[in-house]
Amino acid sequence: MSTWISETLMRPVLAGAILLGLAGCLPGNAVETTTLNVADRNVVVTGPPGFCIDPSATRAGRESAFVLLGNCAAIAGVPGIRQPELRALLAATIAPGGAPGVVSEALPELSAFFRSPAGRAALSRSRRAETVSIVESFSRDGVLYIHARDRSEALAPGMTDDYWRAYFELDGRIVSASVLGFRAAPPGKEHSLATLRAFESRMRARNPVRDGAGQAPSGGST
């Protein structure tokens, strides 16, 4: 595996995990934000209907970002706002990649990597491979999907041990999109995977491949 991919994936994927204790249950910010430009405004993060950006648990730098999305009604503090069909948190991590196409070409290698001790450590909240088991993984249309179970300390009270995550490429960057459920209402495989696919497909739709002039994708905060 290319060194830059391995080093990137060994960073905690949920870099903002410590902030998740605040996510989805804060009194609202009185603003309903459904999209956010990150990574020097080169990547637009957006989720399925009903999910909004939680600014209190989002961190964005020039080249990378961690963005958390939760129930719009809870985040904005307005009960009448449309709520998502699935009770869950969504997380997107954007990290520097390499030349366009490299990540997509490496998907088979990435799948094998995540089944190795180093890969399972990269998926672990505690960075310990023994806490993680891969329930299943598969690739489809340039996306690697992983269903993992992490027995490390929960990201936030009441959250499930297992999660679904998708890895894909946007403009040469490595993007991971995750669906994180709650024990009180476990989402189940079908609903989690459907939400994850809606999440990554909306991200890819809002971030088309740049043209030869380097035109950045349209979109912005709302």
Side-chain angles (χ1 to χ4, degrees):
M1 173 175 293
S2 300
T3 301
W4 63 266
I5 292 180
S6 180
E7 290 178 348
T8 297
L9 294 176
M10 282 304 295
R11 301 167 188 160
V13 174
L14 297 181
I18 193 171
L19 300 169
L20 285 174
L22 302 176
C25 53
L26 284 176
N29 298 290
V31 176
E32 182 187 1
T33 305
T34 58
T35 64
L36 183 69
N37 290 86
V38 298
D40 204 21
R41 300 189 63 82
N42 288 318
V43 176
V44 179
V45 177
T46 186
F51 285 98
C52 289
I53 309 295
D54 185 343
S56 68
T58 291
R59 296 294 180 268
R62 182 176 178 83
E63 293 294 332
S64 59
F66 171 85
V67 182
L68 190 77
L69 300 91
N71 185 312
C72 286
I75 291 173
V78 182
I81 292 177
R82 179 176 181 178
Q83 300 191 34
E85 295 181 5
L86 186 72
R87 186 186 177 196
L89 298 178
L90 306 183
T93 300
I94 293 86
V102 172
V103 177
S104 298
E105 293 174 0
L107 287 183
E109 201 173 353
L110 285 178
S111 181
F113 170 72
F114 282 123
R115 292 184 179 278
S116 72
R120 286 184 286 112
L123 293 171
S124 171
R125 292 185 292 270
S126 61
R127 298 193 185 188
R128 295 186 296 123
E130 62 270 21
T131 70
V132 171
S133 57
I134 304 298
V135 180
E136 65 179 297
S137 65
F138 61 93
S139 297
R140 180 180 299 164
D141 300 328
V143 182
L144 172 63
Y145 297 94
I146 296 177
H147 182 193
R149 182 167 292 118
D150 186 358
R151 296 183 301 279
S152 301
E153 183 177 354
L155 292 172
M159 303 204 73
T160 60
D161 292 338
D162 68 311
Y163 59 84
W164 276 91
R165 182 171 297 159
Y167 285 92
F168 52 100
E169 176 185 322
L170 290 178
D171 194 34
R173 291 173 172 80
I174 299 175
V175 179
S176 71
S178 304
V179 175
L180 312 161
F182 293 93
R183 288 196 299 268
K189 172 183 174 178
E190 298 302 325
H191 285 163
S192 293
L193 185 54
T195 300
L196 180 61
R197 297 194 69 183
F199 188 13
E200 60 88 3
S201 66
R202 285 175 71 90
M203 288 273 292
R204 296 173 88 188
R206 291 298 300 270
N207 293 275
V209 177
R210 292 187 175 198
D211 60 26
Q215 180 66 43
S218 61
S221 300
T222 61

